């Protein structure tokens, strides 16, 4: 899989792509990454890449010409490449979109800076806009790294076993179950016995229930989107009952709104 990254700060990408899983994926040739400096496509003497906004206002706007030239050069090499602009105005990124993008051969990431890019960049050169969250970064570079990391770990051969990507959080809209490793007893806090039972059926049932519990408590919005089995619904009833008992029998707000939302 090929990733091309258009940025004004190429050196930001040096270390993240040298370490750990991404670094190994690069070494193994499972991904190819090119960092392209947009300024190299500003042909004037001062290589100007930004200018003041028409209509006045704060900050600077990235000019359309250097970005357009850069994208047209990359697309001239491979017309099927998909151009993704990272922006708070984009579609919220998700594990589902990471999976879909991981099947595409060539992605071009456009990293904005300052107040953003000239609107004609979107109209003429961008295929898709993605946001990594409802907050404002100083640039799209970190957002591009997030998206590239989420996609790369789904590629065959990148993670130790491809199975672990299938067990991901959000794979089926559930948060991950609690994980434990040695020591068994840390300051009196013990690892749940079931995990040392060797009984894999009991262990997977416990993990499913804890994933449901964590999602019910922390992200009920995800639960609404998860494809739950009848067994899951039974576990959820147990969880709500346990929750009420732990709340001293009164119907908790959570259960109430669960009930009310039906
Ligand atoms: C962003 C986000 C983000 C906005 C102005 C770059 C910055 C600056 N990108 N998800 N949230 N971008 O904050 O993707 O140009």
């Amino acid at each position: 899989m090929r990733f091309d990254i258009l940025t004004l700060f190429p050196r930001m990408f040096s270390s993240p792509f040298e370490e750990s899983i991404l670094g190994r994926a690069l070494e193994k040739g499972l991904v190819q990454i090119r960092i392209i400096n947009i300024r190299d496509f500003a042909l004037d003497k001062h290589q100007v890449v930004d200018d003041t906004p028409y209509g006045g206002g704060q900050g600077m706007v990235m000019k359309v010409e250097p970005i357009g030239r850069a994208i047209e050069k990359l697309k001239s090499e491979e017309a099927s490449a998909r151009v993704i602009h990272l922006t708070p105005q984009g579609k919220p990124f998700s594990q589902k979109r990471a999976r879909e993008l991981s099947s595409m051969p060539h992605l071009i990431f456009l990293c904005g800076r300052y107040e953003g890019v000239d609107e004609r960049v979107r109209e003429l050169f961008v295929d898709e806009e993605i946001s990594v969250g409802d907050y404002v970064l100083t640039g799209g570079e970190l957002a591009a790294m997030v998206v590239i990391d989420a996609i790369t770990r789904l590629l065959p051969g990148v993670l130790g076993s491809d199975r672990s990507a299938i067990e991901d959080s959000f794979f089926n809209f559930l948060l991950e179950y609690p994980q434990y490793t040695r020591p068994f007893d840390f300051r009196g806090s013990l690892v749940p016995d079931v995990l040392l039972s060797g009984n894999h059926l009991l262990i997977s049932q416990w993990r499913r229930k804890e994933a449901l519990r964590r999602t019910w408590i922390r992200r009920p919005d995800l639960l609404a989107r998860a494809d739950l089995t009848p067994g899951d619904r039974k576990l959820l009833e147990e969880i709500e009952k346990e929750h009420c008992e732990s709340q001293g029998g009164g119907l908790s707000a959570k259960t109430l709104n669960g009930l009310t939302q039906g």
Side-chain angles (χ1 to χ4, degrees):
M1 178 156 196
R2 170 177 290 287
F3 299 123
D4 288 330
I5 303 169
L6 292 171
T7 175
L8 289 174
F9 299 97
R11 288 203 310 277
M12 279 186 71
F13 294 89
S14 41
S15 58
F17 292 153
E18 273 145 25
E19 297 300 328
S20 173
I21 289 173
L22 271 176
R24 277 198 298 283
L26 274 165
E27 277 153 25
K28 289 196 268 185
L30 297 168
V31 291
Q32 297 78 38
I33 298 182
R34 281 189 305 188
I35 316 291
I36 295 125
N37 192 333
I38 294 168
R39 200 176 292 282
D40 297 342
F41 294 84
L43 308 181
D44 60 295
K45 186 153 57 53
H46 303 294
Q47 292 191 299
V48 174
V49 294
D50 61 336
D51 202 342
T52 55
Y54 274 118
Q58 291 309 309
M60 299 292 273
V61 174
M62 291 178 76
K63 291 171 62 64
V64 60
E65 304 99 320
I67 295 173
R69 284 192 204 97
I71 291 174
E72 285 180 340
K73 176 176 177 298
L74 295 174
K75 297 270 273 198
S76 68
E77 295 161 4
E78 191 166 337
S80 69
R82 187 171 182 78
V83 178
I84 297 177
H85 175 219
L86 292 307
T87 169
Q89 297 149 34
K91 193 163 180 287
F93 188 48
S94 67
Q95 190 67 15
K96 179 173 175 294
R97 193 63 189 140
R99 250 196 325 274
E100 291 157 355
L101 291 171
S102 68
S103 62
M104 299 183 189
H106 186 175
L107 299 177
I108 299 171
F109 292 93
L110 171 59
C111 305
R113 278 273 156 175
Y114 320 122
E115 299 313 307
V117 301
D118 183 293
E119 192 61 19
R120 278 86 49 105
V121 170
R122 295 186 157 98
E123 285 163 17
L124 303 172
F125 301 107
V126 168
D127 299 311
E128 176 177 352
E129 296 197 305
I130 287 178
S131 170
V132 294
D134 296 340
Y135 40 79
V136 181
L137 303 167
T138 58
E141 285 79 9
L142 294 175
M145 292 180 206
V146 165
V147 173
I148 289 169
D149 185 285
I151 293 170
T152 300
R153 62 185 297 286
L154 296 175
L155 299 174
V158 169
L159 288 184
S161 77
D162 296 339
R163 215 166 46 72
S164 42
I166 291 164
E167 285 179 9
D168 269 351
S169 284
F170 305 107
F171 188 84
N172 47 19
F173 292 104
L174 290 185
L175 299 183
E176 201 124 310
Y177 48 77
Q179 295 275 15
Y180 293 86
T181 187
R182 280 176 284 275
F184 169 72
D185 174 344
F186 179 72
R187 299 180 185 169
S189 172
L190 307 181
V191 174
D193 290 337
V194 64
L195 298 180
L196 286 85
S197 67
N199 181 327
H200 295 295
L201 176 60
L202 279 184
I203 291 169
S204 63
Q205 284 172 343
W206 179 87
R207 284 175 167 173
R208 185 72 178 177
K209 186 172 184 182
E210 293 314 310
L212 287 163
R213 185 192 312 277
R214 183 155 286 187
T215 310
W216 182 71
I217 289 169
R218 300 181 186 197
R219 294 290 308 277
D221 58 301
L222 286 174
L223 216 47
R225 296 158 62 193
D227 47 4
L228 301 177
T229 65
D232 290 334
R233 297 193 185 290
K234 192 173 151 318
L235 287 172
L236 276 169
E237 278 154 27
E238 287 173 20
I239 290 165
E240 289 197 36
K241 197 160 148 297
E242 290 159 9
H243 189 82
C244 293
E245 278 142 16
S246 67
Q247 303 283 319
L251 286 185
S252 70
K254 191 161 208 34
T255 310
L256 282 172
N257 79 28
L259 290 172
T260 50
Q261 279 167 16

